[in-house]
């Protein structure tokens, strides 16, 4: 018998069960004994006895399967409404945190449709309609969702038209940093015993990185970066400064061989007067647009940082130089993998012309 992933019978399994019942009816009519029928159909004698009793009382209709009793079904309209309510989040429905558990969804179904599901039945219902248990992404409460939804009619839309008019590149910029304490990564361990990763407790310093992801329809996606180490020495810059950003943009412009439409956030360093003067002096090849506040998920460069930090997870670096070498090695690998750079753009929903969905379209 064929079973679905949730434990219930598939359509093929239900059809096979129905055929067995009808074959049992034919054997009842031929006068065969219960033991013979059970052996021939490979079912229990108790099932055959029950079917024979139902056949005597109501005929063939009494033996036919009546489906799965006790599992109420929601209509397609109710399923669609449930999906909308789940997307609104638990806070809207009175829970203090933002976790959708099976027990809570079971309660919500009861409130909305006055239908009782078990926890297991709720799990099967969700699986059948494309829901799964997932690790959620974080998003700032201060984020202006209306500004994000209006990107197509706002700065980014203007940016794509500017890039199309000047035959230029759309370039996303962002900064990141890494200390001697590595990001934690999942690791196998014995059940009930949390794995321990030993890291350096001494030493200080930080590796700061600025990166550019560059896109143009019909061209291979590019990625550029600049790295600076801070070892705590007197007079040493603590991180990436406006001069580093200026030099990185000039280098990208030379290697891309075309105008740049720069898209970045409202970090204070991006708004300093020397950079404004630089942009004004070079308005012939660079145009700047701002992303909405608290919207890092719209910047594909964030995806590059995720790829880098995932690769150095649990790294017990002996010194800052080892961290720098590991970061440079991973960034160099990504530079030769335009598919990874494209994947970071696809994850933002700001898609270039020719992709399945489109917000940014460079003609």
């Amino acid at each position: 018998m064929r079973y679905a992933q949730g434990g219930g019978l598939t359509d093929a399994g239900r059809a096979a069960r129905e055929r067995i019942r009808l074959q049992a009816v034919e054997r009842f009519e031929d006068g065969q004994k219960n033991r013979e029928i059970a052996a021939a159909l490979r079912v229990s004698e108790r099932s055959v006895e029950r079917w024979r009793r139902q056949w005597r009382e109501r005929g063939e209709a009494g033996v036919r399967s009546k489906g799965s009793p006790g599992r109420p079904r929601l209509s397609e309209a109710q399923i669609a409404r449930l999906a909308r309510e789940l997307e609104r989040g638990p806070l809207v429905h009175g829970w203090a945190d933002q976790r959708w558990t099976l027990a809570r969804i079971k309660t919500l179904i009861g409130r909305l449709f006055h239908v009782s599901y078990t926890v297991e039945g709720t799990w099967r219902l969700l699986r059948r309609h494309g829901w799964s248990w997932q690790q959620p992404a974080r998003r700032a409460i201060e984020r202006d969702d209306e500004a994000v939804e209006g990107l197509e009619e706002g700065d980014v839309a203007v940016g794509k038209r500017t890039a199309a008019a000047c035959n230029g590149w759309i370039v996303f910029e962002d900064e990141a940093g890494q200390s001697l304490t590595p990001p934690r990564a999942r690791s196998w361990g014995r059940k009930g015993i949390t794995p321990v990763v030993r890291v350096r407790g001494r030493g200080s310093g930080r590796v700061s990185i600025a990166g550019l992801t560059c896109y143009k329809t019909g061209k291979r996606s590019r990625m550029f970066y600049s790295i600076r180490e801070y070892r705590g020495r007197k007079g040493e810059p603590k991180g990436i400064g406006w001069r580093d950003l200026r030099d990185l943009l000039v280098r990208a412009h030379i290697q891309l061989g075309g105008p740049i439409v720069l898209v970045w956030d409202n970090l204070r360093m991006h708004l300093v007067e020397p950079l404004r003067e630089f942009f004004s002096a070079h308005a012939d090849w660079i145009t700047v647009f701002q992303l909405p506040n608290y919207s890092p998920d719209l910047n594909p460069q964030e995806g590059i940082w995720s790829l880098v930090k995932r690769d150095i997870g649990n790294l017990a670096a002996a010194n800052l130089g080892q961290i720098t070498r590991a970061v440079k090695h991973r960034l160099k690998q990504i530079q030769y993998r335009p598919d990874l750079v494209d994947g970071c753009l696809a994850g933002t929903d700001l898609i270039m012309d020719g992709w399945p969905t489109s917000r940014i379209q460079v003609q």
Side-chain angles (χ1 to χ4, degrees), residues 225 227 308 323-333:
Y225 63 89
I227 291 182
V308 172
I323 291 286
T324 303
R325 288 192 296 273
V327 169
K328 282 185 176 180
H329 177 71
R330 184 54 175 152
L331 287 171
K332 183 64 68 175
Q333 287 180 323

Side-chain angles (χ1 to χ4, degrees), residues 282-332:
H282 297 86
D284 57 324
W285 62 266
I286 187 167
T287 308
V288 181
F289 293 97
Q290 305 289 341
L291 285 168
N293 292 332
Y294 303 101
S295 56
D297 53 301
L298 299 180
N299 194 332
Q301 188 62 42
E302 292 283 351
I304 300 294
W305 302 146
S306 297
L307 292 173
V308 172
K309 296 200 173 186
R310 183 176 63 187
D311 199 58
I312 63 173
N314 298 349
L315 174 64
N319 50 55
L320 192 64
Q322 186 177 353
I323 291 286
T324 303
R325 288 192 296 273
V327 169
K328 282 185 176 180
H329 177 71
R330 184 54 175 152
L331 287 171
K332 183 64 68 175

